[in-house]
Amino acid sequence: MSNNGKPSNPPGPSALNGASHPSTPAAGAKSAATDGNKPAPQQGPPRPLISPTPARTLNELADISNRAGLNAPPDPELANAVGFTHFDTSNSDDNVLTVLMTRDDLHRLASQTLVRVKSREDKRDYLGVVVRGPFAEPNAVPANSTMAVGVITHGKKLTYTFEYHGRAEIELLGQEVGGVLQPPRFRPRPQSPVFVLSEEESAKVLGVGGPLSLGRVVGYDHMEARLDPRDKAILPRHTGIIGTTGGGKSTTVATLIHRAQLAGIATIVFDVEGEYTHVDQPTDHEAMRKTLHARKQKPDGVKDLHIHHLTGRDSRNPRHPHRHAFSLKFSSLSPYAIAEILSMSDAQKERFLRAYDVTKLLLEDFKIFPRSEAEKQQILELDEQDTGYPRMTIDHILDVVNTYTYTLGSEGKADTKSGGGRRRRAEEEDADAEEASVDDVPAMPRGLTLLSEFRAKVNLVKARVMAQKSSHESSWKTLGNKLQLMKRLKVFDVENDSGVDYDSMLQARRVSVIDLSNTDSPQLNNLVIADILRGLQEQQEKRYQQAAERGEPVTPVLIIIEEAHEFLSTSRISQMPVLFEQVARIAKRGRKRWLGLVFVTQLPQHLPDEVLALLNNFIIHKITDGAVINRMQKSVGSIDESLWNRVSRLAPGQALVSFSNFTRPLMVAVDPAPVKRLLVD
């Protein structure tokens, strides 16, 4: 302020630049121009507003710039850098780096992108992957500051905005040493340049090469998640396809069926809904066709489809030319597995196994089995935890159970008192004699009905039963009722039915769909799956040995089990340890014999840890239940938390794919299915 209270004039340019001149009035001196408010006359020549910088100062500045490297020619390598590593903080995580980049480079670093970090200070190179971000942050102020929020929210009124940069989190995959990726021992230094790997180099690092394509890797324009079906570390290692309804599991299965056939794999599908009974036709789903067109693919059905269904049951594709009805062989089912699948109590199981043993004796008495020394040797090698007794039918064991029920009833007891004991002793003495004709056999007791060849020697059957005494008629009746229900399914030992042709199913490029859509019985489905799995494993074992003798590779086999939670749920595993042991045995043997299992379920929480432990590969679609995600996270240790955080937000068709040949799990947009799939409720 001036002495008279009026504001003083602002300092001129010379004052702003700190310049002085001898002709400039001293501070506080009064000019003649103050009188009458007239300007003072100019004294001497005009002076410049900005004085030139002295040469000495310029030399000093140039020296500082040279020492700082500011005047050095730009490094051509850094021109390709997408960003630079940031300083660490107290919140930094092991194996995770923060990378900063300019606004112009922000678009070059997408999620899941692979990068190389060159730590120039200590001359070490690292590979990493973008696990969070990239995010955009303002340069001048914090993103959550009042000023930044105000600028953004008033975007309709303001044209001004802050300059911003990018930030991303990089997880280190390893340190490159001699072209080999090793676990990192150190961290890259701050301000290390970061470079984006090309798709070709990224594909090599991720290990996604091979002829079998699952889909496109998220974060890349052209990279595909590919597998080598001839890599023993992949196909026979067993896979889980998991996700909620509508997430894309069935499309993934249909795509896998199509790709497996193209790769020369024999594919067997246990189809509980009949969804895949039309995969020999190209898809007619309009949205799927559009997606295929966008991926530059075409609708296309598989070329060699065979449909198998139980005798007396319909298929969802009844007009298919290669449709085969089959029945089950009771003799191929382990008695322990039968007891578990029929939910027998301990008492019923004890009686069933006793009847089973008596039936084996009668089969020998009637010279049904064994008939030769070779067959006697076969008995010694038989494992009833794995399979049943040769040539035993459900009628045979029903005859024994019914005989037990009869002998424990009032009529049977009366028959025994009236002379049945003498007849039993006579029959025991004549057990090795030639089979008597029907006319020579005493009349069958009124309350006893036998169904098999055993009716030719009723008293012999009664003698064998009485030799293995038992009690509790009601318990035997309950067991008989369960076996009768099993017989009424009319799927066991059907005459003129050769059963399942396992060798045909294992032909290269053949797709075999086991259509279980018309059974209406999870127990029956489980019987079918358990029996066919065992048969396939045994036949693949033979084919493997034959191929080895010829010096040829065996055909790989892929077995897909839909609704796996119905077959191997936690509750079933606790009640059916024998059945699970059969599956575990098949899984372990299959790894050596090119037989891979695929379990498909929308209820992974129902799968026990024992089943999850069999799996090495996972295709995980959308899961919305946080508890299920947490459980899966504990079971699948190879997937990092940043990827698990995305599982609940996956779009239909997207999946988190973890295969043993991949360097790390990948987000994949699974290819649309080119085959026709029935949309079922």
Side-chain angles (χ1 to χ4, degrees):
M1 298 289 289
S2 63
N3 292 335
N4 59 8
K6 295 182 179 180
S8 59
N9 293 329
S14 296
L16 291 173
N17 286 277
S20 61
H21 195 273
S23 61
T24 304
K30 293 184 179 180
S31 172
T34 57
D35 296 336
N37 294 326
K38 294 181 180 180
Q42 181 69 37
Q43 298 180 4
R47 305 296 296 173
L49 293 177
I50 299 177
S51 300
T53 304
R56 178 180 177 181
T57 303
L58 292 175
N59 291 335
E60 291 176 351
L61 290 173
D63 183 58
I64 294 173
S65 298
N66 290 332
R67 281 185 289 171
L70 298 178
N71 292 333
D75 188 334
E77 183 183 36
L78 296 182
N80 295 321
V82 70
F84 296 85
T85 56
H86 194 23
F87 291 102
D88 295 326
T89 69
S90 59
N91 295 324
S92 295
D93 295 328
D94 285 341
N95 229 40
V96 178
L97 307 172
T98 299
V99 175
L100 302 180
M101 68 214 73
T102 66
R103 173 179 180 174
D104 294 336
D105 289 323
L106 187 59
H107 69 284
R108 298 173 56 194
L109 202 64
S111 175
Q112 301 301 306
T113 302
L114 285 182
V115 297
R116 176 175 286 109
V117 181
K118 286 184 171 291
S119 184
R120 292 183 158 192
E121 188 175 332
D122 54 6
K123 296 181 173 58
R124 291 188 175 96
D125 291 350
Y126 302 83
L127 291 183
V129 60
V130 178
V131 293
R132 286 187 288 275
F135 307 108
E137 296 180 333
N139 291 342
V141 295
N144 59 354
S145 67
T146 303
M147 186 177 297
V149 172
V151 167
I152 296 299
T153 55
H154 290 81
K156 291 183 178 181
K157 303 176 181 178
L158 302 177
T159 58
Y160 168 78
T161 186
F162 294 108
E163 282 296 318
Y164 60 88
H165 62 274
R167 176 178 60 84
E169 302 296 321
I170 305 294
E171 179 183 318
L172 292 180
L173 299 178
Q175 180 183 346
E176 289 183 303
V177 180
V180 178
L181 201 61
Q182 298 182 355
R185 298 175 56 204
F186 305 96
R187 292 172 67 85
R189 300 298 175 85
Q191 208 174 0
S192 297
V194 179
F195 304 88
V196 176
L197 270 62
S198 67
E199 289 206 7
E200 293 76 12
E201 190 174 8
S202 296
K204 183 178 179 181
V205 171
L206 292 172
V208 295
L212 195 156
S213 174
L214 292 176
R216 183 173 52 81
V217 180
V218 175
Y220 295 89
D221 295 329
H222 307 290
M223 186 192 301
E224 294 183 341
R226 290 183 166 271
L227 309 171
D228 183 358
R230 285 291 176 180
D231 186 344
K232 206 167 188 177
I234 302 174
L235 182 64
R237 303 297 283 183
H238 312 312
T239 303
I241 300 179
I242 296 168
T244 56
T245 302
K249 295 188 311 301
S250 297
T251 299
T252 297
V253 172
T255 300
L256 183 60
I257 293 171
H258 182 266
R259 300 293 192 268
Q261 185 186 60
L262 294 179
I265 299 171
T267 306
I268 297 99
V269 185
F270 289 99
D271 187 0
V272 297
E273 299 287 353
E275 288 185 81
Y276 310 104
T277 53
H278 292 71
V279 293
D280 57 330
Q281 303 174 33
T283 180
D284 56 0
H285 193 273
E286 188 60 30
M288 200 68 69
R289 294 174 72 93
K290 289 181 179 179
T291 309
L292 284 167
H293 180 74
R295 289 279 287 125
K296 298 182 180 179
Q297 299 174 7
K298 296 180 179 180
D300 181 35
V302 299
K303 301 299 185 291
D304 188 15
L305 172 66
H306 287 248
I307 298 176
H308 303 260
H309 62 91
L310 281 167
T311 298
R313 305 299 196 277
D314 294 330
S315 168
R316 294 201 66 170
N317 193 353
R319 296 183 179 85
H320 193 272
H322 300 298
R323 187 168 50 85
H324 313 279
F326 68 91
S327 65
L328 299 178
K329 298 294 183 185
F330 185 83
S331 61
S332 68
L333 296 172
S334 162
Y336 299 95
I338 292 174
E340 290 176 353
I341 292 174
L342 294 182
S343 301
M344 294 182 186
S345 66
D346 290 341
Q348 293 164 4
K349 180 179 178 180
E350 184 273 330
R351 286 161 176 74
F352 173 67
L353 294 178
R354 177 178 298 189
Y356 203 89
D357 288 338
V358 172
T359 305
K360 290 190 291 185
L361 294 173
L362 287 168
L363 289 176
E364 186 172 0
D365 292 339
F366 281 81
K367 294 182 171 56
I368 296 173
F369 187 89
R371 295 175 179 173
S372 64
E373 290 300 321
E375 290 183 345
K376 290 180 180 179
Q377 183 63 31
Q378 184 180 347
I379 293 177
L380 298 178
E381 299 173 355
L382 190 67
D383 183 1
E384 289 185 354
Q385 294 283 340
D386 191 39
T387 186
Y389 195 82
R391 301 199 187 103
M392 184 187 294
T393 67
I394 194 170
D395 284 347
H396 288 142
I397 198 164
L398 265 172
D399 282 350
V400 172
V401 171
N402 289 337
T403 303
Y404 266 108
T405 304
Y406 171 79
T407 57
L408 292 171
S410 57
E411 183 180 353
K413 291 177 179 178
D415 179 55
T416 301
K417 291 179 180 179
S418 64
R422 290 192 298 273
R423 285 197 300 270
R424 181 177 73 247
R425 288 192 295 272
E427 289 292 350
E428 286 175 332
E429 293 173 357
D430 195 40
D432 295 328
E434 292 294 324
E435 183 176 327
S437 65
V438 176
D439 295 335
D440 297 332
V441 178
M444 189 178 300
R446 185 173 53 188
L448 178 61
T449 302
L450 301 187
L451 306 170
S452 69
E453 304 97 314
F454 292 171
R455 64 178 177 270
K457 291 187 177 182
V458 179
N459 289 334
L460 176 57
V461 177
K462 291 174 61 180
R464 286 295 187 189
V465 165
M466 294 300 294
Q468 300 285 334
K469 293 183 180 180
S470 184
S471 58
H472 298 290
E473 177 190 3
S474 60
S475 183
W476 281 101
K477 283 184 177 180
T478 303
L479 174 60
N481 290 336
K482 288 194 172 186
L483 292 173
Q484 284 288 354
L485 289 173
M486 194 174 179
K487 177 180 171 60
R488 282 198 287 271
L489 293 173
K490 297 181 179 180
V491 296
F492 290 99
D493 309 312
V494 178
E495 293 184 5
N496 302 321
D497 194 325
S498 59
V500 178
D501 187 351
Y502 296 112
D503 194 61
S504 172
M505 286 185 176
L506 298 176
Q507 299 294 322
R509 299 182 184 275
R510 175 156 296 180
V511 177
S512 302
V513 173
I514 317 298
D515 185 0
L516 301 174
S517 60
N518 198 29
T519 62
D520 297 325
S521 170
Q523 289 80 9
L524 179 55
N525 289 350
N526 292 344
L527 282 170
V528 172
I529 295 172
D531 187 45
I532 293 181
L533 275 179
R534 183 199 53 77
L536 288 170
Q537 189 272 327
E538 290 182 355
Q539 189 62 33
Q540 180 69 357
E541 185 83 28
K542 296 177 183 177
R543 292 172 65 87
Y544 180 84
Q545 293 175 355
Q546 293 169 357
E549 292 171 358
R550 297 191 301 265
E552 300 173 353
V554 70
T555 298
V557 179
L558 194 67
I559 301 176
I560 302 172
I561 303 176
E562 277 277 355
E563 306 292 344
H565 58 275
E566 289 286 349
F567 179 53
L568 293 171
S569 66
T570 302
S571 59
R572 291 188 187 279
I573 286 298
S574 62
Q575 299 169 4
M576 302 187 300
V578 173
L579 180 62
F580 171 72
E581 284 301 322
Q582 285 187 347
V583 174
R585 195 179 304 117
I586 291 169
K588 293 173 183 177
R589 291 176 182 175
R591 289 175 179 172
K592 301 178 181 179
R593 301 297 183 257
W594 288 96
L595 189 151
L597 301 176
V598 179
F599 297 105
V600 186
T601 179
Q602 70 267 24
L603 297 173
Q605 65 270 31
H606 289 181
L607 289 180
D609 293 335
E610 294 89 340
V611 173
L612 293 175
L614 297 175
L615 307 179
N616 296 94
N617 306 317
F618 290 89
I619 301 176
I620 302 174
H621 288 274
K622 182 178 181 178
I623 301 175
T624 56
D625 190 330
V628 176
I629 294 176
N630 290 337
R631 178 171 182 259
M632 292 298 302
Q633 192 170 0
K634 296 176 182 178
S635 302
V636 190
S638 60
I639 302 176
D640 59 74
E641 186 174 356
S642 65
L643 291 175
W644 280 117
N645 291 336
R646 301 176 179 222
V647 169
S648 62
R649 304 189 301 272
L650 292 176
Q654 289 186 338
L656 177 55
V657 179
S658 175
F659 272 77
S660 53
N661 64 305
F662 292 169
T663 304
R664 73 180 309 273
L666 302 172
M667 298 295 302
V668 175
V670 179
D671 279 341
V675 301
K676 183 175 181 178
R677 180 176 63 86
L678 296 185
L679 301 178
V680 297
D681 295 334

